[in-house]
Amino acid sequence: MAKNMLDPITGQKLLEAQAAAGGIVDLLSRERYSMHKAMERGLIENTSTQRLLNAQKAFTGIGDPVTKKRLSVGEAVQKGWMPRESVLPHLQVQHLTGGLINPKMTGCIPIQQALLSGMISEELAQLLQDESNYEKDLADPISKERLSYKEAMGRCCKDPLSGLLLLPAALEGYRCYRLASPTVPSSLS
């Protein structure tokens, strides 16, 4: 993460969102990596590792300590293996970025399908659908206004080559572009 562009809490929350939605993105190569690979590549600092590994469970699921079967985090909440408060922000990110991830299958599914399959409870489904429950725990890098993840997504610019949503961190000179190499294009220097 570039120094001083985001406040540390926003930076951490955005990394957690990436981990919960499938992996940490290398902004130069546009490749997505698991937590362990991202650490090997130096994309994340060791100080944030445990929180990011917990967020990654929303993508990979967890092993049921009794049956040893893979559970979604929603199922883990229903069985009492994980607290709802720690899982909710990660499921909100998944919901807002295309659907809940079922770790037993490939792809995302809508809330209603997750509810019908038993992946989440009725209560969790209602919390995910009620956007007034979404915490404003991100800070806009420009205005410093507190934002929910959905509000931050609404302010993002979509990189035309990678499809990544990028949150502007400067009022002027901000453009979506894709770096072909680790050097900065001359138009930005």
Side-chain angles (χ1 to χ4, degrees), residues 58-69:
F59 181 74
T60 61
I62 67 162
D64 185 314
V66 175
T67 66
K68 306 300 184 216
K69 291 183 181 180

Side-chain angles (χ1 to χ4, degrees), residues 38-120:
M39 287 187 312
E40 287 172 13
R41 297 185 63 84
L43 299 176
I44 55 174
E45 297 174 8
N46 287 341
T47 56
S48 60
T49 303
Q50 192 54 53
R51 289 182 61 95
L52 294 173
L53 285 171
N54 286 339
Q56 184 175 262
K57 289 177 185 174
F59 181 74
T60 61
I62 67 162
D64 185 314
V66 175
T67 66
K68 306 300 184 216
K69 291 183 181 180
R70 175 90 20 220
L71 299 174
S72 71
V73 291
E75 291 168 318
V77 167
Q78 291 177 70
K79 290 186 171 231
W81 302 129
M82 294 183 82
R84 182 185 73 202
E85 299 75 33
S86 68
V87 167
L88 189 58
H90 308 312
L91 292 177
Q92 288 171 341
V93 166
Q94 289 180 358
H95 167 59
L96 293 171
T97 58
L100 303 185
I101 296 169
N102 182 343
K104 300 172 199 164
M105 301 166 40
T106 304
C108 299
I109 60 174
I111 289 176
Q112 201 57 36
Q113 187 178 346
L115 179 61
L116 292 174
S117 71
M119 202 173 110
I120 59 172

Side-chain angles (χ1 to χ4, degrees), residues 93 96-97 138 148-157 165 167:
V93 166
L96 293 171
T97 58
L138 303 176
S148 68
Y149 190 79
K150 181 176 183 173
E151 291 168 329
M153 285 178 63
R155 295 183 185 189
C156 286
C157 175
L165 292 177
L167 186 62

